[in-house]
Amino acid sequence: MPDVKQQLTAARCRDDFPILNRHVHGKPLVYLDNAASSQMPLQVMEAYRDYHSRYHANVHRGVHQLSQQATDAMEAGRESLRRLINAADAKEVIFTSGTTDAINLVMQSWGRTQVAPGDEIILSTMEHHSNIVPWRMLCDEKKAVLKVIPVTDDGELDLEAYESLLSPRTRLVSIVHVSNTLGTVNPVKQITRMAHARGVPVLVDGAQAVSHMPVDVQDLGCDFYAASGHKMFGPTGIGLLYGKKEHLEKMPPWRGGGDMILSVSFDEILYNELPYKFEAGTPHIAGAIGMGKAAEYLMTLGYEEIQKQEKDLLDYATQQLTAVDGVRIIGTAREKSAVVSFVVDGIHPHDIGTILDFEGVAVRTGHHCTQPLMERYGLTATTRASMAVYNRREEIDLLVHALREAIKVFR
Amino acid sequence: MMDSKTSEIYKQVVLDHNKTPRNYRILDPAMYEAAGHNPLCGDRYHVYLNVDDSGIITDITFSGDGCAISKASASMMTSMLKGKTVTEAEKMFHQFHEMAQGKRDPETDPGDLGRLKVFAGVRNLPARVKCATLSWHTFHAALKGEKKVTTE
Ligand SMILES: Cc1ncc(COP(=O)(O)O)c(C=O)c1O
C-alpha cells in the first residue's frame, strides 16, 4: 500500500472535488464562496453513498448487522472529529445540526440554568448572528446583559477593552475563532486564559476555523467549541459541539426523546450518558459519517499543506484586489484566514455579485449575517471572496478580471 | 467585452438612472409616504407622493440607497408615475410585478409597461427580483397608508 499521506497534496487535492469542473453560465466555475459552504471531496461522497447503499439503518437500537454497522460508522466519525480537534474524550463531541444548533444547545442547557438577572455575557462586534441571537434571547428571558468587545479599524478585537469588560457578573465569553466577514483570526487561547483567570467559561465559534487551521481544544483551553460539517468539506445538516465533560455532565438535556434516555416511565426519566444525553431522536447518521470522513480528509491532507496554499491565495488575492482602482479591503488584521471582503467605490456589492456570477465566479455579497459588524464599518454590504485549499491563483485572476469588467460597466 | 447576460439587465438606461436618479429627493410635505427595506441586501428607500382631488399623482419622489437595479427601478418608477392617476399607477404596479416574476412577457404583452420593460431581465435572476420590485412595493404601501414594507 502506498502512503496515502504522500499522495494527497494541496496541488493534487483539486481532483477530489468534481464540482469544481462544472461550468456556470457557460464559463468555468470559480468557486470563492467557501466561507458559506465548502465543497465535498469524492471520499466524503463515497462514505455517504456507502452508508445509503450498504448499511442504511438506525443506530444504537438494532441487534441486526446493518444497525451495528451504522452505529460503528457513526461512532468512528465521532472519533475522527475528536482527533481533528484533539478533544480528550469522544464523549465530549456531540453531534448537532451545525454551529447554530451547537450554540443554541449551550444557550438552552447551560445558559438557562446558569444565567441569572444582572449577569453578563461577553460577545464581540464581529460575531455571526448565530452567536448573537441566542444570547440576546437568553438575556431577554433572564434580564441579563450583553457586553460587546469592540473591533479596531483593521478588524482586530480590542483586548484592552475586553479586559475591562470582564467583571464579577460575567458568566460567559462567547467568541468567534475566525471571522467569516473579515477573516480575522482571533487570539482565542489568550481570550480564554483571561476569562479563566476570573473563573469565566468560554465558548468558541469555530465554524470558519476547522478547515483552515489546526484546532486543539485542549491547548486552547476553551469550555465549548462549535463547528459545522458543510464548512469543512462535509455535508450540510451536521455539526458538532465540543464541551468539557465537567460542564456537559452537569448540564440538563435540552431536547427530549428517544436515544437520550436510559429508562422512561411516566413518573421518571433516567437520562443517557454523554454524548447521547444531548442527541435526542434519530441523528443525521449519514451526516455524522460524512463529517467524520471530512475530518479524516483534512488530517490526511494536513494543515501544513492547507495553510501554505491558503496563505499564498490570501496574499495574492489581497495584492491583486488592492491594485484595482476604487477597491477597498475591509478587514486587514495581522492574523487572517483566506477571506477577502471588499467594497468598490460607487458600485453596490449585489451588482458586483450578479456580474461576477455571469462570469462564473461565485462570491458572497451582503452583510454575511454580521449586521453589527457592517454597522461598525458604516456599510450595509461587502463582496467577499473566501478561499479553500483547492483554489488556484488562476481563479483569483479570473475574479479580478471579472471585477474589472464589472467596474467598466458602471464607469 | 460586456457579456450578453450582463447587458440584459445592466442596460444603459438602468446604469444611467442609477448614476443620476430622477426625482431623488425628500418630498415635504407629502400626503403619502412609506419606507421600504430589503433585509437581504440592505437596500433602503423612502417613497413620497402627493395626489390631487381628481386622483392624479402630482408629485412622487424617493430617497435612500441600494444596488443599481433597485435605485434605477425607483427612479424610473417615479418618472413613469408622475401625472398618472392612482388607478393607472396601481395597474402598472401589478403589471411590473408580473413581469419581474416572469408571469408576463413584455414583448408579447407590454400592457402599460413601456420603458419599464428594461427590467424584464430580472426574471432570470431570482435573487434580484426583490431589488427591482422594492420601490414599487413601497409606493403601493404608501398609498395604502402602511408606513413600512420589507421584502421578506
Ligand atoms: C462564523 C460563523 N459562525 C456560525 C455560522 C453558522 O453556521 P451554520 O449555519 O452552519 O449553523 C457561520 C456560517 O455562516 C459562520 O460563518
Side-chain angles (χ1 to χ4, degrees):
Chain A
M1 274 268 290
D3 184 359
V4 180
K5 172 111 189 137
Q6 274 184 353
Q7 289 184 346
L8 188 57
T9 60
R12 294 225 181 108
C13 74
R14 196 176 164 90
D15 295 339
D16 293 333
F17 296 82
I19 200 170
L20 301 175
N21 296 323
R22 72 161 280 184
H23 285 61
V24 168
H25 301 305
K27 311 273 169 69
L29 168 67
V30 173
Y31 190 76
L32 296 173
D33 194 18
N34 295 286
S37 263
S38 53
Q39 298 300 345
M40 245 194 251
L42 288 165
Q43 290 84 338
V44 171
M45 292 181 214
E46 192 47 49
Y48 220 75
R49 215 182 91 92
D50 205 35
Y51 166 66
H52 287 121
S53 54
R54 291 187 42 241
Y55 56 95
H56 178 256
N58 214 319
V59 288
H60 305 137
R61 40 184 90 161
V63 293
H64 60 78
Q65 175 73 20
L66 268 55
S67 175
Q68 192 55 51
Q69 267 182 286
T71 304
D72 291 348
M74 180 167 156
E75 294 309 318
R78 197 190 306 273
E79 172 57 22
S80 300
L81 289 159
R82 181 205 67 75
R83 274 202 295 138
L84 184 78
I85 60 170
N86 194 33
D89 190 330
K91 290 190 167 82
E92 298 178 316
V93 177
I94 296 156
F95 281 117
T96 66
S97 74
T99 301
T100 305
D101 195 40
I103 296 172
N104 277 275
L105 191 167
V106 178
M107 185 280 259
Q108 295 283 353
S109 169
W110 183 89
R112 296 183 78 190
T113 49
Q114 298 289 322
V115 174
D119 282 350
E120 296 167 0
I121 294 170
I122 297 181
L123 312 175
S124 85
T125 307
M126 68 170 85
E127 298 313 310
H128 187 278
H129 293 168
S130 63
N131 196 29
I132 299 174
V133 181
W135 305 117
R136 184 67 262 159
M137 287 162 68
L138 182 70
C139 285
D140 289 345
E141 180 186 318
K142 298 288 182 184
K143 309 268 178 297
V145 183
L146 283 187
K147 297 278 176 178
V148 184
I149 309 171
V151 171
T152 66
D153 289 345
D154 280 334
E156 296 182 353
L157 291 179
D158 181 342
L159 292 184
E160 271 176 39
Y162 166 51
E163 175 77 56
S164 65
L165 287 178
L166 284 162
S167 88
R169 295 312 303 264
T170 309
R171 298 297 291 128
L172 178 75
V173 174
S174 192
I175 204 85
V176 70
H177 195 167
V178 176
S179 161
N180 61 309
T181 302
L182 304 171
T184 309
V185 181
N186 288 318
V188 286
K189 186 173 176 177
Q190 187 185 352
I191 288 168
T192 302
R193 224 186 293 124
M194 288 162 74
H196 283 182
R198 298 172 182 250
V200 175
V202 176
L203 185 158
V204 177
D205 167 1
Q208 296 295 340
V210 279
S211 67
H212 305 286
M213 64 187 65
V215 170
D216 180 335
V217 289
Q218 295 187 74
D219 178 55
L220 294 176
C222 59
D223 300 271
F224 300 102
Y225 197 93
S228 294
H230 68 103
K231 294 184 198 284
M232 51 168 277
F233 306 156
T236 55
I238 190 77
L240 68 82
L241 173 71
Y242 158 80
K244 279 186 184 160
K245 219 189 279 177
E246 61 193 81
H247 296 299
L248 295 177
E249 274 170 352
K250 280 187 238 145
M251 286 159 53
W254 75 307
R255 285 179 181 148
D259 253 8
M260 52 79 75
I261 46 82
L262 288 178
S263 74
V264 173
S265 78
F266 288 109
D267 300 318
E268 196 183 23
I269 312 283
L270 216 52
Y271 296 121
N272 204 340
E273 60 186 23
L274 290 175
Y276 312 113
K277 181 169 87 173
F278 293 107
E279 295 178 354
T282 300
H284 183 9
I285 302 164
I289 293 169
M291 188 174 175
K293 197 72 190 175
E296 282 174 35
Y297 188 86
L298 284 165
M299 289 185 282
T300 308
L301 181 53
Y303 285 103
E304 219 173 290
E305 281 288 304
I306 292 171
Q307 292 196 295
K308 199 167 64 181
Q309 176 65 8
E310 290 188 1
K311 167 111 179 45
D312 182 67
L313 291 167
L314 173 65
D315 290 347
Y316 188 66
T318 304
Q319 175 206 336
Q320 294 299 308
L321 285 166
T322 308
V324 178
D325 221 19
V327 168
R328 181 161 62 94
I329 291 177
I330 308 297
T332 47
R334 284 160 293 183
E335 293 291 328
K336 264 191 78 165
S337 179
V339 169
V340 185
S341 253
F342 59 93
V343 290
V344 184
D345 282 347
I347 314 180
H348 193 280
H350 278 88
D351 297 314
I352 293 174
T354 294
I355 295 181
L356 294 190
D357 179 55
F358 294 150
E359 300 295 325
V361 180
V363 293
R364 174 100 182 254
T365 60
H367 53 59
H368 317 296
C369 297
T370 55
Q371 282 182 353
L373 183 65
M374 289 288 128
E375 202 163 302
R376 158 68 179 81
Y377 291 105
L379 301 167
T380 53
T382 71
T383 303
R384 178 188 72 187
S386 54
M387 281 73 82
V389 60
Y390 43 66
N391 286 123
R392 297 291 173 257
R393 275 186 177 217
E394 296 75 52
E395 293 179 294
I396 306 295
D397 291 338
L398 288 169
L399 161 73
V400 172
H401 174 76
L403 181 63
R404 287 186 193 278
E405 290 297 309
I407 291 172
K408 248 188 257 164
V409 170
F410 281 86
R411 289 289 143 82
Chain B
M1 257 315 282
M2 200 151 100
D3 187 89
S4 64
K5 285 217 156 80
T6 311
S7 51
E8 196 181 316
I9 183 66
Y10 293 105
K11 292 195 164 76
Q12 206 49 50
V13 51
V14 170
L15 297 171
D16 176 57
H17 274 266
N18 173 52
K19 216 174 208 171
T20 43
R22 324 295 197 266
N23 308 304
Y24 189 48
R25 62 193 158 83
I26 294 167
L27 186 61
D28 187 22
M31 290 168 66
Y32 301 96
E33 178 197 336
H37 180 211
N38 180 348
L40 193 66
C41 315
D43 296 346
R44 272 177 199 283
Y45 293 99
H46 266 82
V47 171
Y48 314 83
L49 66 153
N50 284 322
V51 178
D52 72 9
D53 291 345
S54 51
I56 288 175
I57 298 171
T58 53
D59 208 356
I60 174 165
T61 70
F62 78 106
S63 64
D65 265 305
C67 65
I69 295 175
S70 63
K71 191 175 260 182
S73 178
S75 172
M76 290 181 71
M77 174 188 81
T78 54
S79 347
M80 293 285 283
L81 294 189
K82 205 162 171 174
K84 296 276 190 314
T85 67
V86 167
T87 315
E88 287 167 339
E90 286 282 38
K91 198 166 142 213
M92 282 167 74
F93 163 63
H94 290 295
Q95 292 177 356
F96 188 85
H97 203 250
E98 283 174 2
M99 173 180 74
Q101 300 209 311
K103 291 180 190 146
R104 170 190 283 266
D105 182 352
E107 293 312 321
T108 56
D109 195 5
D112 308 316
L113 288 168
R115 288 180 294 138
L116 296 175
K117 69 179 188 201
V118 292
F119 291 103
V122 294
R123 66 181 166 221
N124 299 321
L125 306 170
R128 306 305 303 276
V129 170
K130 286 171 177 173
C131 305
T133 57
L134 177 60
S135 59
W136 285 91
H137 281 292
T138 311
F139 153 74
H140 182 67
L143 270 186
K144 288 205 307 187
E146 295 165 9
K147 288 279 179 215
K148 278 207 181 97
V149 292
T150 77
T151 55
E152 280 198 337

